[in-house]
Amino acid sequence: MTVRSLVRRCLAGAALLGGVVTVPVVLVLVAGWPLPTRMPDWARVATAFRQGDLPAAAVVKALACLVWVCWAQFAAAVVWEFIAQMRHPHDPPAQHQPPLVARSVHRKVGRMVAFVLSAGVAVATTPTPTLVQRHLGVAAAAAAPSPAPVATPHEASSSGQAVWVVAKGDAVWDIARIALGDGGRSTEILELNPTVVPRRLPIGARLVLPTDAVVPADRRAPSAAPAPVARTTAPAPDSAHVIYLPADTITVEVGDNLWTLAASRLDAADGPDRQPAGAEIAGYLTETIDANTIPSGNPSLIHPGERYTFPAIGTPPQADTTAVPTVVPSSEQPSADLPPSESPTTAATQPAAVPAPTPVMTTVNMSTATSTAPGSPASGSAPAPASVTDDADNSVVGEVIAGLSGAVVLAGGLLVAYRRRRQHASRLGTAVLHRPLPKRQHQIVDELVRSADVPLVRWANHELAVLMARLAPSDVSGTPLAMELSADHGIELLWDTPQAVAPAPWEAADGGWAWRLLYDPDHQIPNEPAIAPLAGMVSIGTRDGNQLLLNLEAFGTVALTGDSARAENLARAMVLELGSSAQLATATCSVVGLAVEADEHLWRVEHTTAEQAARQLTAQQTGYRKLLHDSGLPTAFHTRLGDPFDREVHVVVLDTEASTLVDSEFIEPNLGAALVMLGDPTGVATSIRVADDGSAVLEPLGVAFTAAGVSLTDASDIAELLDEVDSPAIGFDSDHELPDVFALPAPAEDDQLGETAEFDDEPAGNPSFVVRLLGRPRIDGVAELGPLEISIITFLACNGGSATPEQVIDAVWNGRLIERGTFLNRLTKTRRAAPGVLQSRSSGTRRLALGPGVTTDLELLERAFRNAAHASTGEAIEHLRAGLAYVDGVPFDSPNLDWPHNQQHHAHASTLIEHAALMLVDLALDIGDIATARFACQQGLIGLPLNEPLYCARMRVEAAAGHPNGIREAYRDLVRGLSGLDEGLGTYQPDPNTSRLYEQLLTASKLRPTG
């Protein structure tokens, strides 16, 4: 037992003792007997209340009665839990609370009692991979060219420690009692197996025991080296351990649940030396649930006596249909060149290897309009996506997958850049949003969506900004060197010197060398990203499934060595990430010699000469030296603490030839600049050696990882994608003729249900819930839902009100594999926070459906728009005013949502806003209603900022009102808005048609007679 565990358990025991014993003693000493010893005079009591003259003793005794009641609940819960856990302290707390005890008290006391009795030792902390393994300056990991898997205690069992193979019904206390002779030594078992959850010992798991353990024969592991408790890869197809298990019907017994039953069958199928991974169990459990009707409707709630059919596992052996070979005469026997073991007879009768079962849960291409399970027809009533032309290269984009999978920040940055430029292109009219992409570019967008994790990166940027804003320069003495980031483990920040105290909720680890924070996907993040405090942080690859990022400013100089092509790919990825992403870093980048291609669309990146780059570095560091001298602070990093002021880092990237022209020795670390050099220059602070297979080592930390990289071919493909967005958009007539209202994208036919989602001209009563899509997605009157729950409801609403679980997962989680329990928990949370929004699934159907009376503001606007087309002018104006009133922002205004863009919902909503606003302007001007026409322009521009057809309409409205200054103000607003798209570089200017209309209206207003 560690000192930390002992201290924590002592504190928990003291709390229990204090609550059970100390509280009654204090109450007796302070208040004595708290209840009245005789009947009070109620008239005097009433008078005392009216006059506010309550005796102090009465108040004290009343409070004492309240404390006695609380103590009684606490004591009852403690006794209840001790009885429940005395024999098996590693079993979970009691399922039900004792009588008259609040559930919250029961749960907290249960955890405390479990901890005191050793149940909480292994679950108190979540094991996470550490970036710091040794003191700075010593190799932190083996310097092998490829990262080796982290050894687990189970793999170390060959050193003489005994191994216990868990069977059904085993508990840690029982294992310690049988193998060690003392159940109290269960703590030793838990410390040797930190990844094991004692309350849910999986059948077949291997527990490493102390060397003096005696393991019974029926619990001993095979003589071969034991496998880890959990494996992360599926068994090989030719695994000799995988057998065929036919379908079976199992009767539920007390203590059973579907997860453990599914795990037991998989464990029996893949042999004694393997244990099914969580993803395999989840996939098989999904098959099982789909094959059964669960009486309770909840897979987690089954009862003894119920019978469930479990599907077959594996492939049944094929019957041998090969004809028996004819016995040939001796003169025709096989020649001596054919080994006896491969004679025709034996070859014909050799059974084929049975392939291993594969996980059921699969990912689906996000380019489809509505993601479906493999083999099932598309369904839903979402607008169809823009068609994909076949005039481009049809080859699959393979290298983009490999390059972007090692750089989540890069993929997210490129995706956001693409979305942003697409919105900029739509300023001339929303018709451009429906323009189809060539097939290859459509594949690239699809790969960007799958590789990116925008919510994770935004969360990390926000948490780092909050952390650094709370820190004063005197709070930390060091500088962050590197960072690991993943959805499973959150953030791990590596420091150059130990920082022993981390502000909550951060946790200092490894003696203060690292700070950690677990990922919270439900945390609300502002739409406007905070300024990144670690301005030089950039991705370099992945390690143990985590994104590995390096703070270039902290090192000053970085050399990329090894295989020249891989090193160039890594440098190119770093340039593209710094240029495209405003998350985690705020840097400008100068490139000398290295071909990048897509950087021409990224204003933070420029190509220059070696001499100019050297001057930029000198000027940047000179400015920071003066700032540090004036402020008295030690590093550029400390100037950003507690201050949201945007102080950028300038990064220069040199190719091999240019690296010989710039002296790296004058670059100081932590001074606002960094130099990345290809080749093997001398005098650099750190180096990354990349092998030809992509494995790499970061020195002097000695961290082995898999390097990120973008090849020149992939960069060219990305550049073509951005060129496609920037190509001339569909022009528009400044006078604007309203198109046919029925030319809007029609809802797609639901093939699975065999019906079309027809438009209902009249609403069927007032909706019970309105899902807001024309702005920030939300549900009116419901504030407790997190981003994932909102995304689920939003997707269902856009998919005709229903979808399969696979469709929802593919859309909301971008096709990533998640556990079924995670998905079910999100559905449960949604139903609790917003009763009636999401229906409970009925027996016999797998589709999720919204409740009756749930609609969207997009549907209400579309209904108003279509009704206006068939109404009189006055009625049409009322319809359009009511519909446009729902617009309070850009449609689907959430950076976490990709599927509205992939499935054309965003384009559909944008088109509807533009057409509805322009129709209302025309109708209002026809009857001289200037106020309504201005309202139409205002609402349209709220949903479509910088939409030039709407600015032209705004100028026409001001001209009709006889306000030349209003015309000028509208045009100036457009020019100012366009200049902000490229940081004032002048790339975006009003369309010539817009400028021509401005001059015509202004001239006409000057010629108009006054009075």
Side-chain angles (χ1 to χ4, degrees), residues 192-229:
L192 288 172
N193 302 271
T195 62
V196 171
V197 180
R199 299 175 182 176
R200 295 188 300 274
L201 287 181
I203 298 174
R206 299 166 180 270
L207 301 182
V208 177
L209 306 185
T211 54
D212 60 339
V214 178
V215 181
D218 61 341
R219 295 292 192 273
R220 292 177 185 170
S223 57
V229 170

Coordinates of all heavy atoms in Angstrom, one line a residue, residues 192-229:
L192 N -0.9 -4.1 -7.7 CA -0.2 -4.8 -8.8 C -1.0 -4.8 -10.1 O -0.4 -5.1 -11.1 CB 0.1 -6.3 -8.4 CG 1.1 -6.5 -7.3 CD1 1.2 -8.0 -6.8 CD2 2.5 -6.1 -7.7
N193 N -2.3 -4.5 -10.0 CA -3.1 -4.5 -11.2 C -3.9 -3.2 -11.3 O -5.1 -3.2 -11.0 CB -4.1 -5.7 -11.2 CG -3.4 -7.0 -11.1 OD1 -3.0 -7.6 -12.1 ND2 -3.1 -7.5 -9.9
P194 N -3.2 -2.1 -11.6 CA -3.9 -0.7 -11.5 C -5.0 -0.5 -12.5 O -5.8 0.3 -12.4 CB -2.7 0.2 -11.7 CG -1.7 -0.5 -12.5 CD -1.8 -1.9 -12.0
T195 N -5.0 -1.3 -13.6 CA -6.0 -1.1 -14.6 C -7.3 -1.9 -14.4 O -8.2 -1.8 -15.2 CB -5.4 -1.5 -16.0 OG1 -5.1 -2.9 -16.0 CG2 -4.2 -0.7 -16.4
V196 N -7.3 -2.7 -13.3 CA -8.4 -3.6 -13.1 C -9.4 -2.8 -12.2 O -9.1 -2.2 -11.2 CB -8.0 -4.9 -12.4 CG1 -9.2 -5.7 -11.9 CG2 -7.1 -5.7 -13.3
V197 N -10.7 -2.9 -12.6 CA -11.8 -2.3 -11.8 C -12.3 -3.4 -10.9 O -12.9 -4.4 -11.4 CB -12.9 -1.8 -12.7 CG1 -14.0 -1.2 -11.9 CG2 -12.4 -0.7 -13.6
P198 N -12.1 -3.4 -9.6 CA -12.5 -4.5 -8.7 C -13.9 -4.8 -8.7 O -14.3 -5.9 -8.4 CB -11.9 -4.1 -7.4 CG -11.9 -2.6 -7.4 CD -11.5 -2.3 -8.8
R199 N -14.8 -3.8 -8.9 CA -16.2 -4.1 -8.8 C -16.8 -4.8 -10.1 O -17.9 -5.2 -10.1 CB -16.9 -2.7 -8.6 CG -16.5 -2.0 -7.4 CD -17.1 -0.7 -7.3 NE -16.7 0.0 -6.1 CZ -17.0 1.3 -5.7 NH1 -17.8 1.9 -6.5 NH2 -16.6 1.8 -4.6
R200 N -16.0 -4.9 -11.1 CA -16.4 -5.5 -12.4 C -15.3 -6.3 -12.9 O -14.7 -6.0 -14.0 CB -16.9 -4.5 -13.4 CG -18.1 -3.7 -13.0 CD -18.6 -2.8 -14.1 NE -17.6 -1.8 -14.6 CZ -17.5 -0.7 -14.0 NH1 -18.2 -0.3 -13.0 NH2 -16.6 0.2 -14.5
L201 N -14.9 -7.4 -12.2 CA -13.8 -8.3 -12.7 C -14.3 -9.0 -13.9 O -15.2 -9.8 -13.8 CB -13.4 -9.2 -11.6 CG -12.6 -8.7 -10.4 CD1 -12.3 -9.8 -9.4 CD2 -11.4 -8.0 -10.9
P202 N -13.7 -8.8 -15.1 CA -14.2 -9.5 -16.3 C -13.7 -11.0 -16.2 O -12.6 -11.3 -15.8 CB -13.5 -8.8 -17.4 CG -12.3 -8.1 -16.8 CD -12.7 -7.8 -15.4
I203 N -14.6 -11.9 -16.6 CA -14.3 -13.3 -16.6 C -13.1 -13.5 -17.6 O -13.1 -13.0 -18.7 CB -15.5 -14.1 -17.0 CG1 -16.6 -13.9 -16.0 CG2 -15.2 -15.6 -17.2 CD1 -17.9 -14.6 -16.4
G204 N -12.1 -14.2 -17.2 CA -10.9 -14.5 -18.0 C -9.8 -13.5 -17.8 O -8.7 -13.7 -18.3
A205 N -10.0 -12.4 -17.0 CA -9.0 -11.5 -16.7 C -7.8 -12.1 -15.9 O -8.1 -13.0 -15.1 CB -9.5 -10.3 -16.0
R206 N -6.6 -11.7 -16.1 CA -5.5 -12.3 -15.4 C -5.0 -11.2 -14.4 O -4.6 -10.1 -14.8 CB -4.4 -12.6 -16.4 CG -4.8 -13.6 -17.5 CD -3.9 -13.7 -18.6 NE -4.3 -14.7 -19.6 CZ -3.9 -16.0 -19.6 NH1 -3.1 -16.4 -18.6 NH2 -4.4 -16.8 -20.5
L207 N -5.0 -11.6 -13.2 CA -4.5 -10.8 -12.1 C -3.2 -11.2 -11.6 O -3.0 -12.4 -11.3 CB -5.5 -10.8 -10.9 CG -7.0 -10.4 -11.2 CD1 -7.8 -10.4 -10.0 CD2 -7.0 -9.0 -11.9
V208 N -2.2 -10.3 -11.6 CA -0.9 -10.6 -11.1 C -1.0 -10.6 -9.5 O -1.5 -9.6 -8.9 CB 0.1 -9.6 -11.6 CG1 1.5 -9.9 -10.9 CG2 0.2 -9.6 -13.1
L209 N -0.5 -11.6 -8.9 CA -0.5 -11.8 -7.4 C 0.9 -11.7 -6.8 O 1.9 -11.9 -7.6 CB -1.2 -13.1 -7.0 CG -2.5 -13.4 -7.6 CD1 -3.1 -14.7 -7.0 CD2 -3.5 -12.3 -7.3
P210 N 1.0 -11.3 -5.6 CA 2.3 -11.3 -4.9 C 3.0 -12.7 -5.1 O 2.4 -13.7 -5.3 CB 2.0 -11.0 -3.5 CG 0.7 -10.2 -3.5 CD -0.1 -10.9 -4.7
T211 N 4.3 -12.7 -4.9 CA 5.1 -13.9 -5.2 C 4.8 -15.0 -4.2 O 5.1 -16.2 -4.5 CB 6.6 -13.5 -5.0 OG1 6.9 -12.9 -3.8 CG2 7.0 -12.5 -6.1
D212 N 4.3 -14.7 -3.0 CA 4.0 -15.8 -2.1 C 2.6 -16.4 -2.3 O 2.1 -17.2 -1.4 CB 4.1 -15.3 -0.6 CG 3.2 -14.1 -0.3 OD1 2.7 -13.5 -1.3 OD2 2.9 -13.9 0.9
A213 N 1.9 -16.0 -3.3 CA 0.5 -16.5 -3.5 C 0.5 -18.0 -4.0 O 1.4 -18.4 -4.7 CB -0.2 -15.6 -4.6
V214 N -0.5 -18.6 -3.5 CA -0.7 -20.0 -3.9 C -2.1 -20.1 -4.7 O -3.1 -19.9 -4.1 CB -0.8 -21.0 -2.7 CG1 -1.1 -22.4 -3.2 CG2 0.5 -20.9 -1.9
V215 N -2.0 -20.4 -6.0 CA -3.1 -20.3 -6.9 C -3.7 -21.7 -7.1 O -2.9 -22.6 -7.4 CB -2.8 -19.7 -8.2 CG1 -4.0 -19.6 -9.1 CG2 -2.2 -18.3 -8.0
P216 N -5.0 -21.9 -6.9 CA -5.6 -23.2 -7.1 C -5.4 -23.6 -8.6 O -5.3 -22.8 -9.5 CB -7.0 -23.1 -6.7 CG -7.1 -21.9 -5.9 CD -6.0 -21.0 -6.3
A217 N -5.5 -24.9 -8.8 CA -5.2 -25.4 -10.2 C -6.3 -24.9 -11.2 O -5.9 -24.6 -12.3 CB -5.3 -27.0 -10.2
D218 N -7.5 -24.8 -10.7 CA -8.6 -24.3 -11.6 C -8.5 -22.8 -11.9 O -9.3 -22.3 -12.7 CB -10.0 -24.7 -11.1 CG -10.3 -24.0 -9.8 OD1 -9.3 -23.6 -9.1 OD2 -11.4 -23.9 -9.4
R219 N -7.6 -22.1 -11.3 CA -7.5 -20.6 -11.5 C -6.1 -20.3 -12.1 O -5.8 -19.1 -12.2 CB -7.7 -19.8 -10.2 CG -9.1 -20.0 -9.7 CD -10.1 -19.3 -10.6 NE -11.4 -19.1 -9.9 CZ -12.3 -20.0 -9.9 NH1 -12.1 -21.2 -10.6 NH2 -13.5 -19.8 -9.3
R220 N -5.3 -21.3 -12.4 CA -3.9 -21.0 -12.8 C -4.0 -20.7 -14.3 O -4.8 -21.2 -15.1 CB -3.0 -22.2 -12.6 CG -2.7 -22.5 -11.2 CD -1.8 -23.7 -11.0 NE -1.6 -24.0 -9.6 CZ -1.1 -25.1 -9.2 NH1 -0.7 -26.1 -10.1 NH2 -1.0 -25.4 -7.9
A221 N -3.0 -19.8 -14.7 CA -2.9 -19.4 -16.1 C -2.1 -20.5 -16.8 O -1.3 -21.2 -16.2 CB -2.2 -18.0 -16.3
P222 N -2.3 -20.6 -18.2 CA -1.4 -21.5 -18.9 C 0.0 -21.2 -18.8 O 0.4 -20.0 -18.4 CB -2.0 -21.3 -20.4 CG -3.3 -20.7 -20.2 CD -3.3 -19.9 -19.0
S223 N 0.9 -22.1 -19.2 CA 2.3 -21.9 -19.0 C 2.8 -20.8 -20.0 O 3.9 -20.2 -19.7 CB 3.1 -23.2 -19.3 OG 2.7 -23.7 -20.6
A224 N 2.1 -20.6 -21.1 CA 2.5 -19.5 -22.0 C 2.4 -18.2 -21.3 O 1.7 -18.0 -20.4 CB 1.7 -19.5 -23.3
A225 N 3.1 -17.2 -21.9 CA 3.1 -15.8 -21.3 C 1.7 -15.3 -21.4 O 1.0 -15.4 -22.4 CB 4.0 -14.9 -22.1
P226 N 1.2 -14.8 -20.3 CA -0.2 -14.3 -20.2 C -0.4 -13.1 -21.1 O 0.4 -12.3 -21.2 CB -0.5 -14.0 -18.7 CG 0.9 -13.7 -18.2 CD 1.9 -14.6 -19.0
A227 N -1.7 -13.0 -21.6 CA -2.0 -11.8 -22.4 C -2.5 -10.7 -21.4 O -2.9 -11.0 -20.3 CB -3.1 -12.2 -23.4
P228 N -2.5 -9.5 -21.9 CA -3.1 -8.4 -21.1 C -4.5 -8.6 -20.8 O -5.2 -9.3 -21.5 CB -2.8 -7.1 -22.0 CG -1.8 -7.5 -22.9 CD -2.0 -9.0 -23.2
V229 N -5.0 -7.8 -19.8 CA -6.4 -8.0 -19.4 C -7.3 -7.5 -20.5 O -8.4 -8.1 -20.8 CB -6.7 -7.1 -18.1 CG1 -8.2 -7.0 -17.9 CG2 -6.0 -7.8 -17.0

